[in-house]
Amino acid sequence: MIRKLAKCVREYKLPSILTLIFIVGEVVIECIIPFITANLVNQIKAGVELKRIIEIGLFLVLLAVLSLCCGGIAGYTSAKASAGFAKNLRHDLFTGIQTFSFENIDRFTSSSLVTRLTTDITNVQMSYMMIIRIAVRSPLMFIFAIVMAYIMGGKLATTFVIVVPVLACGLILIGKYAMPAFRRVFKKYDKLNESIEENVRAMRVVKGFSREEYEKEKFGAAAEDICKDFTKAERIVALNNPLMQICLYFNMIFVLIVGSKLTITSMGQTIDIGQISAMLTYGMQILMSLMMFSMIYVMITMSLESVKRICEVLDEKTAIHNPASPVTEVKNGEIDFDNVSFKYSSVARRHSLSNVTLHINSGMTIGILGGTGSAKSSLVQLIPRLYDATEGTVKVGGVDVKDYDIKTLRDSVAMVLQKNLLFSGTIKENLLWGNENATDEEIVEACKLACADDFVKSFPDGYDTHVEQGGTNVSGGQKQRLCIARALLKKPKILILDDSTSAVDTKTDAMIRAGFKKYIPETTKIIIAQRVASIMDADLIIVMENGTITAKGTHNELLKTSEIYREVYEQQTNGGNEDE
C-alpha cells in the first residue's frame, strides 16, 4: 500500500525532501539553544562581562530566528507536498473509476466512492503531512534531547528512565483502545453519505409521501452512531493530556529537588543552575516529542483504514480491456448474438441471459417487450460492452465486440436510458456531450428529430437555458427528449432507446419514431418499451421472459404466435376500452 501511494507523490518529491531537511535544521537548533543558555546562566553567575552577555544573547536571537525560518519553510513545503500528494491521489482514484466497467462499479456503492474521494483522501493527506514533518521531528527531537540531557545533566537525566516508559506505555494503551472506534467510524461514513445521497436524489418522493420526519430520524440515527464512536475514541485520546501533564510535572519536581540538592552539596561542581534550567527545557522537549509521536500514531492508525479503502479502488482493475490490435472502424449497425449467456457476477447462481441467439440487419428497427426482470436492459448493454458476455459472442458489423477499440465501439452506439441524466450547464452544453464539434444547425436538427426544439425555444434563453444538476428544472418528458437529441448528435450506427419515451405522450412518441424512419434509415434502432404502441411498427419485435427470447416476429405475427404479446396488447387496447 505504501509503494502504491508513494507513486502519487511524483512532482512533489522536492517539497517533501526539503521539508525533511528544514525539519532536521529546526530540531538541531532547538536542541543547541538550551545548551548555550545554560552556559550563559553559569557565566552570569560567575560574573561575566556585559559585552559577553550581549554577544551570546544576540547569537541566541540569531539561532531563534533561524529555527523560526526553518520551521516556517518546513510548514510551507509540507503543506505544498501534502496538498499536491492528495491532488495526485484524488486524480488517480477518479481516473481509475472512469475506466471501470459496469461490473467494477457494481462492487462499490456511489456513497462509498464519494467517501473515499473526499474524507479518506483528506485523512491520508493529513497523515502524509504529519509523516514528513512531525514524524521526522519527534524522533529526532527525542534522540537529540536525550543526548543533550545526559551531556548537561549526567546522572540527573536518569529521571527520563522513569518518565519515558510510563508515558510511552500510557500512549500505547490509549491508542490500542481508541483505534477500534476510529476504524468503525469510516465504514459508518458510507451509510451516512448514502442516506444523504438518497434523500437529495429522492427529495420529490420524500415530500410527496410526507416522509421528511422518517428521513430525519434515519439520518439522525446514522449521525448519532458516528457521534458515539467518535465520542468514545476522543474520550480515550483525551487522556493524553493529563498523562502528559503528570509526566511533565514529575520531571520538573524531580529535576528541581534532586538538582537543587546536588548543586548545594557539590557547591556547583557536579551540577549548576544552568544545567538545571537546561534539564527542564530538554525534559519538556522529550515529553512533547513523545506526545507529538502519539498524535502521529493516532492519525496514522486512523488513516490506515482510509488507505485500505483507497487501495481497494486503485487495485480494482477494469473487467473490460482493449485488445492488442483493436479494430478502429465499425462498418455498419448489423448485430449478432450467438448463443449468448450472461450473469452480473462470477459468483451469481443464475444467468440473467441464457442461450440468446439473434441476428439484426443494419438499419432495422427492433422492438423489445418483456416484463420487469426479463433482462431486456442486460441484453442491449452487451452491445457497447458495458458488460461482457459470460458465454457466447456478440458481434457488431460482423466483428466480435471484444475485438473493437472500446472508444470506437461506444462512439458508434448511442444509448438513451429511462433515467438518463442531464448535467448542470446550459441545454446546448448538455447536447454537445453527444458531439462536442456539432454545429448549431446540427443541434437544432437533432432536437427537431427528438421533438425537443419547440419546447427549448419556448424558454427565454432558448438553447442557452441553464439546466440544474440532474435536470431537475425540466420535466421528465423534456429530459428524455433532450437525451434522445444528445444521442442522435453522435450519428451512431446503433441507437438504443431503453424505455426512454416512457414519460412522453403517445403522439410525441409516434412523431419521434416517424422521424427516425425518415432521417436515420441506415441506423439500427433498438427500442425497449412497455407500450406496444411504441414498437408495433418495428421490423422485428422480440418478446423476452426470464432472460430468454420466447418469441420474435412482426406485430401481426406475434398476435398469432405469442400468448404473452397478445395478452399485453389486449390489456393496453381492448381491455382498456372495456374498463372505460
Side-chain angles (χ1 to χ4, degrees), residues 102-138:
F102 279 22
E103 180 181 342
N104 299 113
I105 293 173
D106 290 342
R107 295 174 189 166
F108 303 95
T109 64
S110 57
S111 59
S112 176
L113 289 175
V114 169
T115 304
R116 294 168 204 243
L117 278 162
T118 52
T119 305
D120 287 335
I121 288 183
T122 300
N123 288 335
V124 174
Q125 176 184 346
M126 291 298 296
S127 290
Y128 183 72
M129 183 173 67
M130 294 180 78
I131 287 170
I132 63 174
R133 191 177 182 188
I134 303 175
V136 174
R137 176 188 171 86
S138 294

Side-chain angles (χ1 to χ4, degrees), residues 84 98 111 223 253 306 320 380 443 487:
Q98 296 305 304
S111 59
I253 294 169
S306 294
I320 295 177
V380 297
I443 291 173

Side-chain angles (χ1 to χ4, degrees), residues 226-275:
I226 292 176
C227 180
K228 285 180 180 178
D229 279 340
F230 257 127
T231 302
K232 181 179 179 181
E234 293 292 349
R235 189 185 296 124
I236 297 170
V237 171
L239 295 174
N240 272 349
N241 193 53
L243 180 62
M244 172 70 181
Q245 294 297 324
I246 290 171
C247 293
L248 179 62
Y249 289 126
F250 174 82
N251 177 68
M252 288 178 62
I253 294 169
F254 183 88
V255 169
L256 288 173
I257 293 175
V258 177
S260 299
K261 184 177 180 180
L262 288 174
T263 302
I264 295 170
T265 56
S266 66
M267 301 297 292
Q269 297 300 314
T270 303
I271 193 169
D272 210 338
I273 297 173
Q275 279 84 348

Side-chain angles (χ1 to χ4, degrees), residues 137-433:
R137 176 188 171 86
S138 294
L140 282 178
M141 178 64 77
F142 179 79
I143 294 169
F144 288 166
I146 284 283
V147 171
M148 293 302 295
Y150 271 97
I151 291 173
M152 294 295 294
K155 295 179 180 180
L156 194 59
T158 54
T159 177
F160 301 120
V161 176
I162 302 171
V163 174
V164 171
V166 170
L167 183 57
C169 290
L171 295 176
I172 290 171
L173 288 173
I174 288 170
K176 179 182 177 181
Y177 288 104
M179 287 314 104
F182 280 126
R183 290 193 188 102
R184 289 194 299 269
V185 164
F186 295 107
K187 295 179 181 178
K188 292 176 181 179
Y189 266 130
D190 289 346
K191 292 184 179 179
L192 185 69
N193 285 341
E194 186 176 350
S195 176
I196 296 170
E197 182 184 12
E198 284 182 349
N199 187 267
V200 172
R201 286 179 179 272
M203 184 63 70
R204 287 170 173 78
V205 178
V206 172
K207 293 189 177 297
F209 285 88
S210 299
R211 297 284 283 178
E212 292 93 342
E213 292 303 318
Y214 170 78
E215 288 296 321
K216 288 179 185 177
E217 290 176 5
K218 186 172 75 171
F219 176 82
E224 180 66 24
D225 203 14
I226 292 176
C227 180
K228 285 180 180 178
D229 279 340
F230 257 127
T231 302
K232 181 179 179 181
E234 293 292 349
R235 189 185 296 124
I236 297 170
V237 171
L239 295 174
N240 272 349
N241 193 53
L243 180 62
M244 172 70 181
Q245 294 297 324
I246 290 171
C247 293
L248 179 62
Y249 289 126
F250 174 82
N251 177 68
M252 288 178 62
I253 294 169
F254 183 88
V255 169
L256 288 173
I257 293 175
V258 177
S260 299
K261 184 177 180 180
L262 288 174
T263 302
I264 295 170
T265 56
S266 66
M267 301 297 292
Q269 297 300 314
T270 303
I271 193 169
D272 210 338
I273 297 173
Q275 279 84 348
I276 292 176
S277 67
M279 285 295 297
L280 291 173
T281 304
Y282 286 130
M284 176 69 76
Q285 290 178 344
I286 290 168
L287 297 177
M288 284 303 296
S289 65
L290 282 175
M291 187 71 174
M292 293 168 71
F293 200 76
S294 72
M295 291 171 55
I296 298 167
Y297 172 70
V298 170
M299 189 65 200
I300 290 177
T301 309
M302 284 175 59
S303 300
L304 188 60
E305 190 66 28
S306 294
V307 170
K308 290 178 182 177
R309 288 157 52 84
I310 290 169
C311 286
E312 282 178 0
V313 180
L314 292 175
D315 289 336
E316 183 75 12
K317 302 300 180 185
T318 180
I320 295 177
H321 301 277
N322 258 346
S325 301
V327 178
T328 57
E329 181 185 0
V330 179
K331 293 181 179 179
N332 54 50
E334 183 182 64
I335 304 170
D336 288 285
F337 289 86
D338 184 10
N339 200 29
V340 170
S341 295
F342 168 73
K343 56 184 179 180
Y344 284 95
S345 170
S346 58
V347 298
R349 295 183 178 181
R350 59 181 293 273
H351 285 85
S352 297
L353 290 169
S354 299
N355 304 317
V356 174
T357 298
L358 178 66
H359 174 74
I360 301 171
N361 290 323
S362 182
M364 288 181 70
T365 298
I366 306 297
I368 302 180
L369 187 73
T372 302
S374 59
K376 306 183 296 295
S377 297
S378 301
L379 180 72
V380 297
Q381 286 174 350
L382 300 180
I383 298 172
R385 286 194 77 191
L386 298 179
Y387 292 98
D388 272 340
T390 307
E391 300 172 11
T393 305
V394 180
K395 294 181 179 179
V396 171
V399 178
D400 190 333
V401 292
K402 294 181 181 179
D403 293 332
Y404 278 113
D405 172 71
I406 295 175
K407 187 177 187 305
T408 299
L409 175 64
R410 291 178 181 171
D411 281 343
S412 300
V413 181
M415 289 190 70
V416 185
L417 308 176
Q418 181 182 6
K419 295 182 179 179
N420 241 328
L421 289 174
L422 294 176
F423 299 89
S424 56
T426 65
I427 290 177
K428 182 178 179 180
E429 288 170 346
N430 270 276
L431 293 172
L432 288 175
W433 272 67

